[in-house]
Amino acid sequence: MKLFHEYRNPSLAIDLVVFGYHDNTLSVLLLNRKEEPFKDCWTLPGGFLQMEETFLDTCSRILQTKLGMNEVFLEQLYSFDDPGRDPRGRVIAVGYYALINPAKFKIVAGSMANDVKWFNVRKLPVLGFDHKHIFKAALQRLKSKILYHPVGFELLDELFTITELHELYECILHTTLDRRNFRRKILDAEYVINTGMKREGLKNRHPELYRFNKHLKKNNFQINVPTES
Amino acid sequence: MKLFHEYRNPSLAIDLVVFGYHDNTLSVLLLNRKEEPFKDCWTLPGGFLQMEETFLDTCSRILQTKLGMNEVFLEQLYSFDDPGRDPRGRVIAVGYYALINPAKFKIVAGSMANDVKWFNVRKLPVLGFDHKHIFKAALQRLKSKILYHPVGFELLDELFTITELHELYECILHTTLDRRNFRRKILDAEYVINTGMKREGLKNRHPELYRFNKHLKKNNFQINVPTES
DNA sequence: GGTTGTTTGCGTCAATATAACGTGAAGTAA
DNA sequence: TTACTTCACGTTATATTGACGCAAACAACC
């Protein structure tokens, strides 16, 4: 009996949409390719699945070797099958997105890349492959996800103020949310725990510092986006 | 340069969770395998992705040759990467789920299967591979999806009564929903259009027949599931 | 032809959730 | 002390929801 891998199979790549939040800006990590195809173009970090790897293994390897980071929030996004998505041949891509706190990592351009840089998600350059498409799916997923699930804290420091969380939501959702109603929902849902400490050194009143409530019963809140009209 | 497909790559399979609704029962289509592995076991219909196929091409081929059906609602579910999921070797599975109206198709067991049968989703036999896992993900997705998106009509005839739609929701969500509140939400959302016709031949009052409103602005309604307590 | 039992379609109402906005305390800078 | 800003907590009008009531429509029966 012929072994499966002796048949012709499409290649299987993992592409990562790595989100980071800093200075009130949601960014995505892009990598400038050193080699064809799309040499000198910006693309999402990615890599091929090795025979013995799980998807998460591949994600970790990419994060580790290309970006020098580990232990981050990862979620599978979607699998992309456009036959023309890679000029080298048939490559299926499994998209994942990651949420990281840029403060915790020093980004390193691996040997494969000219450069690695954070880009504001609203000001992306042209991307190689079908990566614009993958990116859009990831951003849409993130926007939907934070409405119902407490993932915002993945992008913040361990201690944060309600205002900081509020600004993060406004930034990701790209809209304004009433400050006072937002606060009430987050507090009522027990999304966060008051540490009693305050953020010092600010110009005005010192806000209280919170940490994420890890024992949150899930789906406990819902943020509503104002209807555009 | 070595071509991609000359490297060792995992195989790529598509597995389908085909939902059907009939006699107030939500069912899933299973196939009894004629060959090893899992000979004589029930599994989801599936097949390997061919080099030139898109995922949807493969889905169509499976639906056509194994089940004799076409033109159905299909949505990508998730991709499954457990290294042990197929005893023959490394096989990645991309899961899709389909919603079909069993009344519209005559199911045929293709040459590869001993038998093809509908199973009540609450009374499944043991499944081969990791198909129980894939099935659970599909059922969960369906349960979440119908709360916000008008997909219920995919499982019904073109003309249906509000009561029939209501029973479908209760069946899928496996809970009870207040009949009158359900009706109000569905009508307010303009999910359906009154045809003016009535379903004849029933024992009691003849209910009005509706058809799905194809021009529905999406995400216009939300069905709430009673909190279990 | 009236009675009975069931389903259907429409309403009511109290409880809850939401959106919009007010206000005074806490803090820095002058 | 004053001016200015942010923070924390309220208030109120409106909208939505959940839990029911009820009468018309229909078949079956006496």
Side-chain angles (χ1 to χ4, degrees), chain A residues 176-218:
Chain A
T176 58
L177 300 170
D178 184 89
R179 177 173 51 85
R180 292 147 292 186
N181 294 336
F182 178 84
R183 166 184 295 271
R184 182 178 43 214
K185 273 208 184 160
I186 293 297
L187 291 178
D188 286 355
E190 302 179 272
Y191 184 130
V192 293
I193 298 168
N194 193 329
T195 64
M197 293 180 282
K198 303 198 169 201
R199 184 167 306 290
E200 307 289 344
L202 297 181
K203 205 168 56 179
N204 298 310
R205 182 172 177 174
H206 296 174
E208 293 173 328
L209 284 169
Y210 291 80
R211 75 173 74 246
F212 170 61
N213 176 8
K214 291 188 174 67
H215 308 296
L216 178 66
K217 27 186 174 4
K218 59 183 240 186

Side-chain angles (χ1 to χ4, degrees), chain A:
Chain A
M1 184 178 173
K2 211 172 175 184
L3 286 175
F4 273 0
H5 60 258
E6 292 169 357
Y7 287 96
R8 290 176 69 229
N9 285 311
S11 299
L12 223 154
I14 304 279
D15 284 321
L16 293 181
V17 182
V18 181
F19 289 110
Y21 177 74
H22 188 58
D23 284 341
N24 226 319
T25 304
L26 182 67
S27 301
V28 65
L29 208 50
L30 298 180
L31 187 143
N32 199 279
R33 286 177 63 86
K34 227 178 205 169
E35 297 176 3
E36 293 294 349
F38 298 105
K39 180 161 147 56
D40 301 320
C41 274
W42 293 97
T43 61
L44 297 173
F48 287 98
L49 184 85
Q50 304 302 310
M51 268 307 238
E52 65 292 341
E53 281 179 332
T54 64
F55 292 161
L56 286 177
D57 287 339
T58 311
C59 289
S60 295
R61 179 167 55 80
I62 296 166
L63 287 169
Q64 192 59 241
T65 63
K66 295 202 174 176
L67 311 169
M69 52 178 69
N70 48 24
E71 294 287 318
V72 304
F73 172 93
L74 273 171
E75 186 173 281
Q76 191 186 118
L77 188 59
Y78 198 77
S79 296
F80 300 86
D81 66 339
D82 178 0
R85 60 174 300 284
D86 190 318
R88 294 167 292 186
R90 190 72 203 282
V91 182
I92 303 299
V94 180
Y96 271 73
Y97 72 102
L99 303 181
I100 79 152
N101 180 345
K104 290 188 183 165
F105 299 100
K106 189 174 51 122
I107 306 304
V108 295
S111 56
M112 299 284 287
N114 297 319
D115 199 3
V116 180
K117 253 171 59 180
W118 288 106
F119 285 82
N120 185 326
V121 293
R122 323 280 174 208
K123 297 175 187 169
L124 288 198
V126 171
L127 301 186
F129 303 102
D130 61 345
H131 287 183
K132 182 72 98 183
H133 184 211
I134 298 178
F135 162 76
K136 281 185 180 171
L139 183 56
Q140 187 50 57
R141 172 77 65 93
L142 178 59
K143 286 167 84 166
S144 304
K145 183 110 183 168
I146 57 164
L147 300 180
Y148 300 95
H149 300 275
V151 292
F153 71 95
E154 301 280 358
L155 294 160
L156 298 175
D157 293 338
E158 180 169 354
L159 300 181
F160 52 86
T161 69
I162 302 282
T163 298
E164 286 161 9
L165 187 62
H166 176 234
E167 286 172 344
L168 171 65
Y169 269 75
E170 288 195 331
C171 178
I172 292 177
L173 296 172
H174 211 227
T175 184
T176 58
L177 300 170
D178 184 89
R179 177 173 51 85
R180 292 147 292 186
N181 294 336
F182 178 84
R183 166 184 295 271
R184 182 178 43 214
K185 273 208 184 160
I186 293 297
L187 291 178
D188 286 355
E190 302 179 272
Y191 184 130
V192 293
I193 298 168
N194 193 329
T195 64
M197 293 180 282
K198 303 198 169 201
R199 184 167 306 290
E200 307 289 344
L202 297 181
K203 205 168 56 179
N204 298 310
R205 182 172 177 174
H206 296 174
E208 293 173 328
L209 284 169
Y210 291 80
R211 75 173 74 246
F212 170 61
N213 176 8
K214 291 188 174 67
H215 308 296
L216 178 66
K217 27 186 174 4
K218 59 183 240 186
N219 274 31
N220 204 19
F221 65 95
Q222 181 192 330
I223 304 296
N224 296 310
V225 183
T227 56
E228 70 294 334
S229 56

Side-chain angles (χ1 to χ4, degrees), chain B residues 46-65:
Chain B
F48 287 97
L49 184 87
Q50 305 301 311
M51 267 309 238
E52 64 291 342
E53 281 180 331
T54 65
F55 292 161
L56 285 177
D57 288 339
T58 311
C59 288
S60 295
R61 179 167 54 79
I62 297 167
L63 287 169
Q64 194 59 242
T65 63

